[in-house]
Amino acid sequence: MPDIAWAAGSARVGARRYPEPLNPKNGTPWDVYSAVACGPRLFVRGQRQITDREERLVSPGALPRAFAAYDLVNGRPGHFILGRADAMEFTEVADYLDAYFRRVHGTAPHDALCLDGGPSAQLVYRDGETLLDAEPTGVLVPTAILLLPKNRPAE
């Protein structure tokens, strides 16, 4: 189940989510199984909110950008997208996501963020037994998100 949050934690207190990125207070426990640290956020709870300045992640220019987003269907995450733009500003990625969800699913982004920017923004996926690099960059980055199919009961 996707969930995008401003969060921090320690072994002593566990993960805590916060309502804003700057000088957060009043964190609440965040029951998360695994997480990836990245940003900036592009949509926050259904509102377009590009937080590159607040998160101190300004990287202007039309750069390669990896991103993740999801919408809500009947109050629950419905569609999840991982993507890579060849050359976009954060605002252009947000524009793309808004148009994509409206056109393809008839919804709007609920939460979205950029995972990376610059030549390390990569997307590799499996097609059968073959790994395909959407746009080879020559930069080797040891960060990955692995999506596994949900276990389905035998029919």
Side-chain angles (χ1 to χ4, degrees), residues 3-5 7-8 15 30-38 115 143-145:
D3 186 15
I4 297 173
W30 190 30
D31 185 24
V32 62
Y33 178 74
S34 61
V36 175
C38 46
L115 296 167
T143 301
I145 297 175

Side-chain angles (χ1 to χ4, degrees), residues 4 42 66-70 80-83 97 111-115 145:
I4 297 173
L42 304 173
F67 54 88
Y70 68 93
F80 179 71
I81 181 173
L82 279 173
L97 289 168
D111 274 311
L113 77 160
C114 276
L115 296 167
I145 297 175

Side-chain angles (χ1 to χ4, degrees), residues 58-155:
V58 175
S59 60
L63 301 171
R65 309 238 185 233
F67 54 88
Y70 68 93
D71 63 357
L72 294 182
V73 176
N74 298 322
R76 297 184 46 84
H79 306 96
F80 179 71
I81 181 173
L82 279 173
R84 181 187 179 277
D86 289 340
M88 287 187 175
E89 297 267 3
F90 293 130
T91 55
E92 293 170 308
V93 175
D95 291 343
Y96 168 79
L97 289 168
D98 189 46
Y100 170 83
F101 278 102
R102 289 183 195 287
R103 182 179 86 265
V104 176
H105 303 297
T107 62
H110 180 70
D111 274 311
L113 77 160
C114 276
L115 296 167
D116 204 348
S120 62
Q122 299 174 40
L123 180 64
V124 177
Y125 59 94
R126 183 182 302 275
D127 182 9
E129 293 298 316
T130 306
L131 292 177
L132 300 174
D133 193 339
E135 181 69 29
T137 64
V139 177
L140 302 176
V141 180
T143 301
I145 297 175
L146 176 63
L147 301 177
L148 299 172
K150 192 177 192 179
N151 289 335
R152 295 185 180 167
E155 296 181 345

